[in-house]
Amino acid sequence: MESLNRMALELVDEALDFADELGIAVDELDNGTTVFDFGHGVTGGYEAGLLLAEIQTAGLATVGTRMGTVADAPLPHVELTTDRPALALLCAQKAGWELSVEDYEGLGSGPARALVADEDVFARIGYGDDFDFGVLALEADTLPTETAADHIADRAALPANSLFLLSVPTASLVGSVTVGARAAELATVRLVDLGYDPLDIRSVAADAPIPPVAGGEPTALARTNDALAYGGRVHFTVAEDFERFADLPSTAADEYGTPFEAIFDDVDWSFADLPDGLFAPAQVTVDVVGGPTHTFGETDHAMLEESFEL
């Protein structure tokens, strides 16, 4: 199997070559780790967000934007399609690395997770990466520190100077784009958590509105999750039928109808205390090859109008 980190590294080279045009910045820590700023001290933009989403999926997904509406207001939407969902969404894009060291906290996604491959999903798919370089995207309030980089390099069994960290705050245009591009990933993670075989998922297509950029991280976290839970739409093509497809959309959760800001406040923003199945897109269609087509859930533009302050 092709190395996910090798494929992602080709896109990282593109980000390096066109950093000025993309509105991003590149720096090197004292330990040699290369750090990309996708929105902390720079503006970034749609193109930077689309490229970062491609890097997170190791180039195995096609990502783009289109114009749509939310509550009659024209708003851009982000679309993602992939024919390699197990690798692109579960082994790469999934935000499965909760990083916490003495001077840094962030949420890691991207193919460097496959170098560690200690999450159950890697065993279920039968994949682990072995490459001389690692690429990890980090959603965080601040740029990664040298301590954080050393920790990541140690877990990935790489020298620090072989590591590429791409950092983005949620409260940025790049953050709005890349979180919106997670609708397919959220639905796929949910489907596999329900017990479905990840290798029976053949293709996934999804879209979600890109929320207005918030003034701070808490509001941005709430808005981006509202965008997915009340506006995200996903289409699966799968090999086998399953009795729990109805549990896929956000409408299946008891918390549906409550803005994420209120949900987060109820647990004092401790994400570990949030229930399973909370993070999911609004509407899901499942096309079983040679079998039935199921559709569950619904979008709620009134909730998005409130969340986005339209």
Side-chain angles (χ1 to χ4, degrees):
M1 176 59 65
E2 186 67 69
S3 164
L4 293 178
N5 283 276
R6 190 202 66 77
M7 291 187 289
L9 191 59
E10 294 179 3
L11 295 168
V12 170
D13 286 341
E14 184 177 334
L16 186 61
D17 291 341
F18 295 98
D20 290 342
E21 292 85 348
L22 292 166
I24 63 176
V26 186
D27 197 11
E28 186 176 296
L29 300 178
D30 289 343
N31 64 359
T33 296
T34 303
V35 173
F36 289 74
D37 180 353
F38 272 83
H40 297 279
V42 293
T43 57
Y46 292 112
E47 296 302 322
L50 295 176
L51 180 57
L52 181 55
E54 285 189 64
I55 293 170
Q56 288 172 303
T57 57
L60 291 175
T62 299
V63 192
T65 55
R66 65 172 179 85
M67 281 302 298
T69 59
V70 171
D72 295 325
L75 281 183
H77 287 55
V78 58
E79 300 178 319
L80 182 147
T81 60
T82 178
D83 294 321
R84 304 296 298 278
L87 291 174
L89 306 180
L90 299 176
C91 293
Q93 190 188 24
K94 180 184 175 183
W97 193 333
E98 296 183 18
L99 182 66
S100 180
V101 295
E102 60 188 47
D103 59 355
Y104 181 82
E105 290 188 358
L107 189 60
S109 62
R113 290 176 43 249
L115 296 170
V116 182
D118 61 353
E119 301 166 46
D120 176 67
V121 70
F122 289 98
R124 292 180 66 180
I125 294 169
Y127 180 79
D129 200 0
D130 182 14
F131 191 59
D132 294 335
F133 297 91
V135 179
L136 190 71
L138 292 165
E139 186 178 345
D141 296 356
T142 61
L143 289 167
T145 62
E146 189 169 342
T147 303
D150 285 338
H151 174 78
I152 295 167
D154 182 63
R155 289 289 312 281
L158 292 174
N161 62 3
S162 294
L163 193 61
F164 297 84
L165 301 180
L166 302 87
S167 182
V168 58
T170 314
S172 65
L173 185 50
V174 176
S176 290
V177 171
T178 54
V179 176
R182 289 191 176 279
E185 175 231 321
L186 290 184
T188 303
V189 169
R190 177 64 177 155
L191 181 55
V192 171
D193 285 347
L194 289 170
Y196 197 78
D197 187 341
L199 299 179
D200 282 337
I201 306 172
R202 295 189 175 178
S203 297
V204 189
D207 79 343
I210 299 173
V213 179
E217 288 295 290
T219 302
L221 285 168
R223 277 187 182 175
T224 51
N225 280 288
D226 285 336
L228 295 167
Y230 299 105
R233 304 182 301 169
V234 178
H235 180 279
F236 284 104
T237 301
V238 302
E240 299 292 337
D241 209 350
F242 186 54
E243 69 276 6
R244 298 196 65 184
F245 287 143
D247 294 328
L248 283 173
S250 59
T251 51
D254 293 338
E255 295 79 10
Y256 185 81
T258 303
F260 265 86
E261 186 171 15
I263 293 173
F264 291 155
D265 279 341
D266 284 345
V267 297
D268 197 26
W269 295 81
S270 175
F271 294 155
D273 296 329
L274 295 171
D276 293 337
L278 179 63
F279 299 99
Q283 193 171 35
V284 178
T285 293
V286 185
D287 179 7
V288 182
V289 175
T293 297
H294 309 279
T295 299
F296 302 101
E298 60 184 3
T299 58
D300 188 337
H301 282 207
M303 289 292 296
L304 295 177
E305 184 177 13
E306 177 184 350
S307 178
F308 296 176
E309 300 181 15
L310 297 177

